[in-house]
Amino acid sequence: MIKRIDRKVGRTKRHRRVRVRVSGTKERPRLAVFRSLNHLYAQLIDDSTSRTLAAASTVELKAKGNGMNEAAKVGKAIADKAKAAGVTAVVFDRGGFLYHGRIKALADAVREAGLEF
């Protein structure tokens, strides 16, 4: 019998490896992304004080579907909220997910909106 590894456990391991190197500050917060089956979430986190500076999601935007267009809308929304909070640069935390598809679409939308990584 083949031993199967749980996908969530694997993602958690990858995320821990990323978090060793990625940390947010007040000037350059961490842009953390989480992708569930039905929604996409993004948060700007200041790790030095453990505070969330801004958040956006497909739930909040009431977006229909869960594709690339919705990911781009979330990226634009989080970038607008970041600018309102006075943030110009972020550190990207892909959360253990592959930098592909919806995660990449969100990151590209954030870059196009004017935040730098």
Side-chain angles (χ1 to χ4, degrees), residues 16 19-20 53 71 74 81:
R16 265 192 255 127
R19 288 284 292 121
V20 166
L53 305 176
V74 172
K81 289 182 179 184

Side-chain angles (χ1 to χ4, degrees), residues 24-112:
T25 62
K26 186 167 180 69
E27 297 80 30
R28 194 174 169 123
R30 177 170 53 101
L31 175 60
V33 177
F34 178 74
R35 179 177 60 92
S36 73
L37 185 63
N38 297 318
H39 296 287
L40 189 68
Y41 305 87
Q43 289 183 322
L44 288 177
I45 302 169
D46 176 9
D47 289 316
S48 60
T49 59
S50 300
R51 297 191 65 163
T52 300
L53 305 176
S57 69
T58 54
V59 175
E60 176 186 302
L61 298 175
K62 295 182 176 67
K64 299 285 185 188
N66 188 20
M68 306 281 269
N69 296 332
E70 288 75 17
K73 289 177 188 175
V74 172
K76 184 169 175 6
I78 194 72
D80 292 340
K81 289 182 179 184
K83 287 180 183 176
V87 175
T88 58
V90 296
V91 178
F92 190 67
D93 176 9
R94 61 188 174 91
F97 299 103
L98 290 177
Y99 187 79
H100 182 267
R102 290 179 278 167
I103 304 296
K104 186 176 185 296
L106 185 141
D108 290 342
V110 169
R111 279 193 198 102
E112 286 177 12

